[in-house]
C-alpha cells in the first residue's frame, strides 16, 4: 500500500526511467488485491485487482498477464459468492489461455468455473468443467491437479447418489495425494470416504477412516473439517 501511494509522486519526476514503470505499479496493485482477499476484505481487493487490470490493458501488457488478472478478479467474485460474475471472468480468461495453449491456467479456470457452478446448484455444468480440468491434468500428468479434480467430482457424484463413482474417484485421489504429501488433500480424501461409508451403512469402515483422517487434520488445524469429522 505504501508503494502504491508513493508511486504517483515518484512518477511525476521519473517518468520514462528504465528501472521502474507502470508495470511495477500494476504488480503492487495485484499483490495488494491478493493480500486483501486473503484477509476477507473483498470490496477493497476487487478495487485493486480492477485497477491493476485496467492499467495492464492501458500499457498493453501481454494477453497472458491480462488474463491472469481476470482470474484474480474472478477469484474475488467467487469469494463474494457472486458466482455468475466469477464465471464470466474465468471464461474470458480461459479463452486467452486456450489460445495460448497454457494448460496450467486452463486447468485452473475449468476448476474454478466448476466450483462456481457447484455453488449455484448447477451440478451438470460443474461436473462438465471439473472433467475438463481432470482431462488436462491427466494429459500433463499433474498429480495435484488430478487429485483435486477427482475430489471435487466425488462430492458431486455423492450428491447425485452415485456412491460407487464417488468412492472410486476418492480411492484414486488418495494415493496421488500421498505421493505429493499434500496433507489437506489427504485428509479431505479420507474424510470424504468416511462420509460415504457412513451414509452407505458401513459404520466400522467409516469409523476407521474418520480416525485416520483425524490424525492428519489435527496436524493441518483445519477446524471446520475436524468438527465435521
Amino acid at each position: 500500500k505504501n508503494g502504491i501511494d508513493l508511486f504517483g509522486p515518484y512518477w511525476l519526476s521519473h517518468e520514462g526511467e528504465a528501472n521502474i514503470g507502470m508495470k511495477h505499479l500494476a504488480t503492487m496493485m495485484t499483490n495488494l488485491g491478493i493480500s486483501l482477499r486473503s484477509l476477507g476484505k473483498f470490496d477493497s481487493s476487487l478495487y485493486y485487482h480492477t485497477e491493476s487490470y485496467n492499467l495492464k490493458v492501458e500499457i498493453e501488457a501481454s494477453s497472458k498477464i491480462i488474463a491472469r488478472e481476470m482470474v484474480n478478479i474472478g477469484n474475488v467474485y467467487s469469494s463474494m459468492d457472486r458466482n455468475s460474475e466469477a464465471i464470466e471472468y474465468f471464461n474470458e480468461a480461459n479463452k486467452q489461455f486456450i489460445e495460448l495453449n497454457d494448460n496450467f491456467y486452463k486447468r485452473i479456470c475449468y476448476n474454478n468455473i466448476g466450483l462456481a457452478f457447484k455453488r449455484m446448484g448447477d451440478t451438470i455444468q460443474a461436473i462438465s468443467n471439473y472433467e475438463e480440468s481432470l482431462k488436462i491434468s491427466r494429459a500433463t500428468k499433474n498429480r495435484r491437479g488430478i487429485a483435486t479434480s477427482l475430489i471435487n467430482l466425488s462430492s458431486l457424484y455423492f450428491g447425485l447418489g452415485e456412491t460407487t463413482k464417488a468412492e472410486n474417484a476418492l480411492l484414486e485421489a488418495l494415493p496421488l495425494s500421498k505421493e505429493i504429501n499434500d496433507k489437506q488433500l489427504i485428509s479431505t480424501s479420507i474424510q470424504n470416504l468416511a462420509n460415504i461409508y457412513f451414509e452407505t451403512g458401513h459404520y466400522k469402515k467409516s469409523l476407521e477412516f474418520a480416525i485416520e483422517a483425524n490424525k492428519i487434520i489435527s496436524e493441518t488445524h483445519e477446524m471446520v473439517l475436524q468438527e465435521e469429522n
Side-chain angles (χ1 to χ4, degrees):
K1 181 67 168 63
N2 286 341
I4 292 168
D5 291 342
L6 288 168
F7 188 91
Y10 175 89
W11 193 242
L12 288 174
S13 57
H14 293 78
E15 183 174 351
E17 286 191 1
N19 64 323
I20 193 167
M22 286 293 181
K23 66 178 182 179
H24 298 100
L25 174 61
T27 299
M28 287 191 288
M29 288 176 170
T30 293
N31 292 342
L32 180 56
I34 291 169
S35 298
L36 289 166
R37 176 174 170 251
S38 72
L39 292 169
K41 299 181 178 181
F42 302 132
D43 287 333
S44 296
S45 175
L46 184 61
Y47 170 80
Y48 282 105
H49 279 306
T50 302
E51 287 292 296
S52 178
Y53 169 80
N54 290 335
L55 186 54
K56 286 170 180 175
V57 171
E58 182 183 326
I59 64 176
E60 298 181 342
S62 71
S63 58
K64 181 175 181 176
I65 288 174
I66 293 172
R68 283 168 59 181
E69 198 59 52
M70 294 177 80
V71 171
N72 288 328
I73 294 172
N75 285 335
V76 180
Y77 278 127
S78 185
S79 296
M80 299 169 80
D81 205 25
R82 292 167 61 175
N83 296 297
S84 294
E85 289 154 298
I87 290 169
E88 182 180 340
Y89 274 91
F90 291 140
N91 272 326
E92 285 301 312
N94 204 26
K95 289 177 185 177
Q96 295 298 320
F97 295 131
I98 290 170
E99 193 172 311
L100 294 165
N101 197 29
D102 188 320
N103 286 319
F104 179 80
Y105 276 101
K106 278 159 59 181
R107 174 178 63 81
I108 288 174
C109 284
Y110 282 124
N111 189 69
N112 290 353
I113 293 166
L115 177 60
F117 274 121
K118 179 184 176 182
R119 287 174 172 163
M120 293 171 69
D122 192 334
T123 302
I124 303 302
Q125 285 290 343
I127 289 175
S128 175
N129 280 279
Y130 282 148
E131 285 178 342
E132 286 295 325
S133 181
L134 178 60
K135 191 186 302 180
I136 294 169
S137 295
R138 289 197 192 281
T140 56
K141 298 181 180 179
N142 185 313
R143 290 176 293 178
R144 187 182 306 279
I146 294 169
T148 300
S149 294
L150 287 168
I151 291 168
N152 289 335
L153 282 166
S154 72
S155 66
L156 294 171
Y157 293 148
F158 186 60
L160 292 172
E162 298 183 31
T163 53
T164 301
K165 286 181 73 173
E167 180 187 8
N168 288 339
L170 290 169
L171 289 174
E172 184 183 352
L174 182 54
L176 290 171
S177 302
K178 288 180 177 178
E179 284 176 22
I180 60 175
N181 195 31
D182 188 314
K183 291 184 178 180
Q184 185 176 19
L185 292 177
I186 295 168
S187 61
T188 303
S189 298
I190 297 172
Q191 202 252 354
N192 288 354
L193 281 165
N195 284 340
I196 290 172
Y197 295 136
F198 183 85
E199 292 299 327
T200 54
H202 298 87
Y203 300 123
K204 183 179 179 181
K205 201 171 185 179
S206 175
L207 184 58
E208 289 171 357
F209 274 83
I211 290 170
E212 185 181 352
N214 214 47
K215 293 174 185 176
I216 303 167
I217 296 168
S218 62
E219 296 176 19
T220 58
H221 306 293
E222 297 172 83
M223 303 306 291
V224 174
L225 194 60
Q226 190 166 37
E227 180 183 18
E228 290 173 358
N229 196 56

